[in-house]
Amino acid sequence: MRIPILLPNIFNHPFTYETDINLKVGDYVVVPFGKSKITGVVWDEFEKKNNRNFKVKSIFKKLNVEPLKRNTIKFLNWFSEYNIIPKGMALKLVLLSSCAVEKFSKDTYKNYNSTIKKNSVKLSEEQKKSLKKMNISNKKFRVHVLQGTTGSGKTIVYFEALKDIINKGFQGLILLPEIGLTGQFEKKFLEFFGFNPAVWHSGISKKKKEIIWSGVANGELKVVIGARSSLFLPFKKLGLIIVDEEHDQSYKQDEGVTYNARDMAISRAWFENIPINLITAVPSIETYENIKKGKYSISRLEKRYQDASLPNYEIINLNETKLEKQSWISKKIIDKVNFHLDKNDQVLFFLNRRGFSPHVLCNKCFNSYSCPNCSINLVYHKKKNNLLCHYCGFKTSLKRSCVKDDDCEFIFSGPGVERISEEVKRNFPSKKIEIFSSDTMNKKNSSIKLEKIINNEVQILVGTQLISKGFHFPSLNCIVVVDIDLSLQGHDLRAAEKNLQLYHQLSGRAGRTGKPATVYFQTYNTNTKMISDLTNSNPDIFLDRELEIRKQNKLPPFQRFIALILTGDNEGKLEKEAFNFKNFIEKKIDGRVLGPVNSHIFRLKKKYRIRLLVRGAKSLKLQSSIAKIVAKYKFFPGIKLSVDVDPINFN
Ligand SMILES: [Zn+2]
Ligand SMILES: [Zn+2]
């Protein structure tokens, strides 16, 4: 019997094999491929028009794994078409290092599988109403949005919904954006359900991955909490997907196989014909549009926990209260902060920049430190005493000989969180201060640090946007946005939306236990409308206007964007190739081709980068026209094309 087998490699079609084994679609098998053995899956269709005359080889064996579901296979076929990715690469996302995991003994999973405890969590009237609306038509595909201000108790509502689904014998998946710091979340989960969730992200051990993968495949595991990649786990009986913080742009995977995990989660739910819940304080533009069109249902939580009110906002005009040289915190702010500290409030200084200084140059030779691999300045990290490229990881020390064999005389231009933290220390010498960024919080001791922050043993935090991600700090009642002007300088079409999300999330960290809280914005910008827009407690006003702008300019979500990025070592050849490529594809694509233009960061990881942007209607025809024509183009050796459907990052 001849059987189509899809293999986890760069091919877009299944290969044909021969066997006497009784196989059905979705079975995992081991087959010969070239000189090696490789794991594949029995696919739902043969390769279309195969004219080659290969010798058909025999399948080695069938693996003892629950077959991949037909609906999941359909999803993968669609996934590959939508994102212009070979089918084999889509399958690779499902497998574990290109392999399937055969069954473990039952008690391997017992850690995750005690019975659900009867909890005594009491929902408020508002939460009950939201839950009821969320649970309407839970037996088939539908998208429901739960929108609620931070601190309004959204998690408990969707936990209740999930409990219902698990009790009916289904599995659930909760996607979270920032998975490295799920400690607080896991604790909440354990308290509610009485058992541990399986936590899935790239940082867990291989052994753990194998246990979770197989437990998901054979239905032993009930709930997975995971990062983007958990969306591709081979669930046996998936009954509900929850995307928490659905607006978070880190759901977009922009390296390697690019896709948006939130959008793909919605598609997977569609193919599996199961419900999906999107959770957010402020919906993304795409989600907002679907709510407006009535495609998604919505319920809202407007009251905060214990009736805590949202923080107040105050704008500190830096034209009136001048900063001293090499200083970024105004006198006025220092007074305000002292006022809060006296009341035992915790204080956060927010600046979305890691390290000490983003730009180091010499006063004598005027050379600045830039990355040898990327066209970008190196950031000075004082604690590690090195200069770091935030894009490629290049590291170097702060030592260089200047003209006339002298030492350089360094100027550190602009602040990062380390520098702000030094200034804070000078102004509040008796207080315990902690930096909260991916440099300080992604390590093993971070849970101890978190505990200290929660207990108000740290009085002042200096943090990057990492802090906006769902943490609950009960005493935080004062936030100082050191430089709001910095984030208003965005250069991509989502800058406004990004800021709306960021500042809503950020201010949601403050005033969570009912005490009055204030967010202060330092700015030179006398037009403060932008800030008051960002901080309006009704984000719909902002979203409506943003949607109107997008519509008028035919931007996503009203049109589809697809970025085609060419990379190569040789600048001149790359430029020539970009024009040739554009000419070749332009007339055969179902949309308009813009560019080529140099990327915002022209050189990245030693490669030059040139971008084309395809704009077209939101139809799969656009993708298939691109896939067809690109397959026919022969790139100059050394030049590589990557495709990014629905790009978010225009760097
Ligand atoms: Zn670099
Ligand atoms: Zn110098």
Side-chain angles (χ1 to χ4, degrees):
M1 195 170 44
R2 294 200 164 191
I3 302 267
I5 307 286
L6 189 68
L7 303 174
N9 55 24
I10 55 156
F11 294 96
N12 194 33
H13 57 80
F15 291 81
T16 302
Y17 285 88
E18 212 160 43
T19 190
D20 298 329
I21 310 170
N22 190 10
L23 290 172
K24 54 185 181 309
V25 172
D27 278 334
Y28 294 84
V29 292
V30 178
V31 298
F33 187 74
K35 285 195 176 103
S36 55
K37 276 184 187 178
I38 183 166
T39 299
V41 172
V42 178
W43 217 242
D44 62 348
E45 57 179 2
F46 283 91
E47 182 187 2
K48 282 168 203 143
K49 39 171 184 174
N50 170 6
N51 304 324
R52 284 155 306 185
N53 243 334
F54 283 135
K55 186 173 166 268
V56 176
K57 292 180 182 171
S58 290
I59 291 170
F60 285 137
K61 65 167 180 176
K62 178 186 162 193
L63 293 170
N64 182 21
V65 183
E66 271 313 313
L68 194 61
K69 282 174 57 189
R70 210 177 248 272
N71 289 344
T72 314
I73 289 175
K74 281 188 189 148
F75 163 66
L76 292 171
N77 283 333
W78 176 88
F79 175 88
S80 115
E81 202 180 342
Y82 185 90
N83 294 296
I84 317 184
I85 290 161
K87 285 199 177 87
M89 294 307 281
L91 178 64
K92 203 172 175 180
L93 295 170
V94 174
L95 298 178
L96 204 55
S97 317
S98 293
C99 292
V101 187
E102 293 188 274
K103 278 174 194 150
F104 287 93
S105 70
K106 257 197 168 155
D107 56 306
T108 320
Y109 313 108
K110 67 171 186 285
N111 203 359
Y112 303 107
N113 262 355
S114 359
T115 40
I116 301 181
K117 80 168 183 193
K118 287 216 164 45
N119 58 65
S120 51
V121 179
K122 263 218 146 83
L123 297 186
S124 69
E125 280 310 308
E126 201 184 30
Q127 285 172 318
K128 274 186 208 157
K129 260 170 78 184
S130 271
L131 178 66
K132 207 172 155 196
K133 204 163 170 201
M134 184 183 254
N135 281 344
I136 295 173
S137 77
N138 249 352
K139 288 194 181 113
K140 56 179 193 328
F141 172 74
R142 54 105 190 112
V143 186
H144 184 80
V145 179
L146 175 60
Q147 181 181 358
T149 37
T150 42
S152 60
K154 300 186 288 278
T155 315
I156 297 302
V157 174
Y158 76 67
F159 275 180
E160 286 285 354
L162 178 61
K163 191 173 79 181
D164 224 41
I165 295 279
I166 307 171
N167 279 334
K168 287 181 181 133
F170 290 98
Q171 297 169 297
L173 168 66
I174 303 175
L175 289 174
L176 293 180
E178 226 31 66
I179 200 77
L181 291 158
T182 50
Q184 259 183 319
F185 188 86
E186 279 172 66
K187 225 170 116 190
K188 211 169 176 179
F189 185 97
L190 180 64
E191 268 168 27
F192 185 92
F193 288 97
F195 66 90
N196 286 308
V199 179
W200 178 274
H201 56 87
S202 59
I204 61 170
S205 69
K206 189 170 174 253
K207 183 79 196 162
K208 249 199 178 138
K209 277 187 181 166
E210 287 176 353
I211 292 172
I212 295 174
W213 196 96
S214 65
V216 161
N218 62 32
E220 291 286 339
L221 289 191
K222 287 177 194 144
V223 182
V224 174
I225 293 177
R228 293 182 292 239
S229 56
S230 61
L231 181 63
F232 299 95
L233 285 168
F235 288 93
K236 186 182 181 187
K237 214 179 166 192
L238 191 57
L240 176 67
I241 302 176
I242 291 156
V243 184
D244 203 350
E245 315 280 1
E246 66 85 21
H247 58 270
D248 199 300
Q249 305 202 338
S250 61
Y251 278 124
K252 174 80 187 191
Q253 162 86 37
D254 14 46
E255 271 180 62
V257 176
T258 64
Y259 61 90
N260 186 317
R262 180 210 44 224
D263 298 345
M264 296 306 114
I266 294 168
S267 300
R268 180 153 187 190
W270 190 86
F271 280 99
E272 306 265 355
N273 197 18
I274 58 169
I276 177 165
N277 297 330
L278 307 180
I279 318 297
T280 184
V282 179
S284 64
I285 278 284
E286 288 82 3
T287 298
Y288 188 69
E289 201 226 349
N290 282 315
I291 296 168
K292 293 223 101 177
K293 283 197 300 198
K295 267 177 84 179
Y296 298 175
S297 58
I298 180 162
S299 54
R300 289 194 175 85
L301 294 176
E302 267 142 18
K303 287 203 186 85
R304 292 186 100 190
Y305 180 66
Q306 290 178 348
D307 282 329
S309 53
L310 281 165
N312 301 311
Y313 297 95
E314 213 172 294
I315 289 162
I316 308 293
N317 186 342
L318 292 177
N319 299 297
E320 290 164 12
T321 163
K322 283 269 179 310
L323 295 175
E324 282 174 32
K325 227 180 157 205
Q326 302 296 308
S327 151
W328 291 270
I329 302 171
S330 63
K331 283 261 151 33
K332 212 167 174 181
I333 282 292
I334 291 168
D335 292 343
K336 302 270 184 195
V337 167
N338 270 320
F339 167 77
H340 282 278
L341 289 170
D342 286 346
K343 291 194 299 176
N344 260 333
D345 286 347
Q346 198 170 47
V347 175
L348 161 70
F349 285 86
F350 173 79
L351 180 75
N352 201 15
R353 232 189 223 159
R354 294 161 51 203
F356 184 83
S357 166
H359 188 192
V360 183
L361 69 165
C362 170
N363 206 11
K364 287 188 285 185
C365 66
F366 302 110
N367 275 325
S368 63
Y369 271 106
S370 55
C371 179
N373 308 324
C374 313
S375 45
I376 198 124
N377 288 324
L378 293 174
V379 177
Y380 178 54
H381 285 246
K382 199 169 184 180
K383 274 219 175 97
K384 296 174 189 154
N385 193 25
N386 59 24
L387 291 138
L388 201 68
C389 174
H390 287 177
Y391 289 85
C392 74
F394 174 85
K395 244 188 258 175
T396 183
S397 68
L398 190 67
K399 240 199 174 140
R400 189 171 59 178
S401 50
C402 198
V403 277
K404 295 172 216 147
D405 284 340
D406 213 356
D407 277 343
C408 274
E409 193 185 306
F410 292 117
I411 302 174
F412 300 95
S413 156
V417 278
E418 287 182 350
R419 200 170 198 180
I420 296 299
S421 146
E422 283 189 2
E423 191 178 345
V424 169
K425 232 167 243 165
R426 281 197 300 276
N427 283 297
F428 309 97
S430 66
K431 301 298 176 192
K432 177 106 177 80
I433 298 158
E434 197 76 69
I435 293 176
F436 199 101
S437 76
S438 55
D439 296 298
T440 61
M441 293 308 292
N442 270 351
K443 306 203 181 76
K444 292 220 167 73
N445 63 352
S446 60
S447 59
I448 302 166
K449 274 191 192 168
L450 267 178
E451 207 57 43
K452 282 193 173 150
I453 297 170
I454 290 163
N455 296 333
N456 205 11
E457 287 166 48
V458 174
Q459 286 93 41
I460 304 177
L461 295 164
V462 182
T464 63
Q465 63 154 358
L466 182 69
I467 207 161
S468 66
K469 311 269 181 180
F471 297 101
H472 176 62
F473 300 143
S475 307
L476 183 60
N477 290 314
C478 168
I479 297 178
V480 178
V481 177
V482 175
D483 188 351
I484 178 78
D485 304 341
L486 189 70
S487 39
L488 300 182
Q489 295 165 356
H491 56 266
D492 69 70
L493 74 103
R494 285 168 201 272
E497 186 191 350
K498 260 185 216 172
N499 281 323
L500 177 70
Q501 301 293 357
L502 174 61
Y503 290 105
H504 256 269
Q505 289 295 111
L506 189 66
S507 57
R509 298 305 114 219
R512 293 181 63 120
T513 43
K515 274 176 86 178
T518 310
V519 183
Y520 302 93
F521 293 93
Q522 291 197 124
T523 179
Y524 283 104
N525 195 340
T526 42
N527 173 12
T528 50
K529 186 164 182 323
M530 185 65 182
I531 298 171
S532 56
D533 279 357
L534 284 178
T535 52
N536 194 317
S537 65
N538 180 6
D540 291 7
I541 298 168
F542 184 100
L543 289 168
D544 276 330
R545 206 177 39 221
E546 182 68 14
L547 210 51
E548 193 48 45
I549 295 171
R550 301 266 186 104
K551 195 172 184 177
Q552 277 166 14
N553 297 297
K554 295 202 178 76
L555 299 170
F558 299 95
Q559 262 203 345
R560 182 163 294 152
F561 278 16
I562 298 177
L564 304 174
I565 305 143
L566 296 176
T567 55
D569 300 325
N570 184 313
E571 203 180 331
K573 278 184 188 143
L574 183 66
E575 260 167 40
K576 228 173 118 190
E577 186 76 345
F579 280 100
N580 287 341
F581 179 59
K582 183 187 176 176
N583 287 336
F584 186 81
I585 63 170
E586 204 172 15
K587 300 222 165 59
K588 290 155 196 126
I589 280 182
D590 247 23
R592 265 179 71 205
V593 186
L594 308 178
V597 292
N598 292 353
S599 286
H600 180 65
I601 300 171
F602 184 34
R603 193 158 173 261
L604 190 71
K605 298 176 186 172
K606 292 184 177 164
K607 303 277 186 204
Y608 294 96
R609 304 150 75 234
I610 294 185
R611 306 173 69 100
L612 296 166
L613 185 68
V614 181
R615 299 176 66 150
K618 286 167 75 179
S619 144
L620 268 183
K621 273 192 207 151
L622 181 61
Q623 276 98 323
S624 66
S625 70
I626 292 176
K628 249 185 229 147
I629 189 68
V630 165
K632 285 184 190 141
Y633 191 82
K634 263 214 142 27
F635 284 100
F636 199 84
I639 290 175
K640 224 189 107 200
L641 170 75
S642 43
V643 181
D644 185 358
V645 179
D646 306 326
I648 281 188
N649 188 341
F650 288 80
N651 281 340

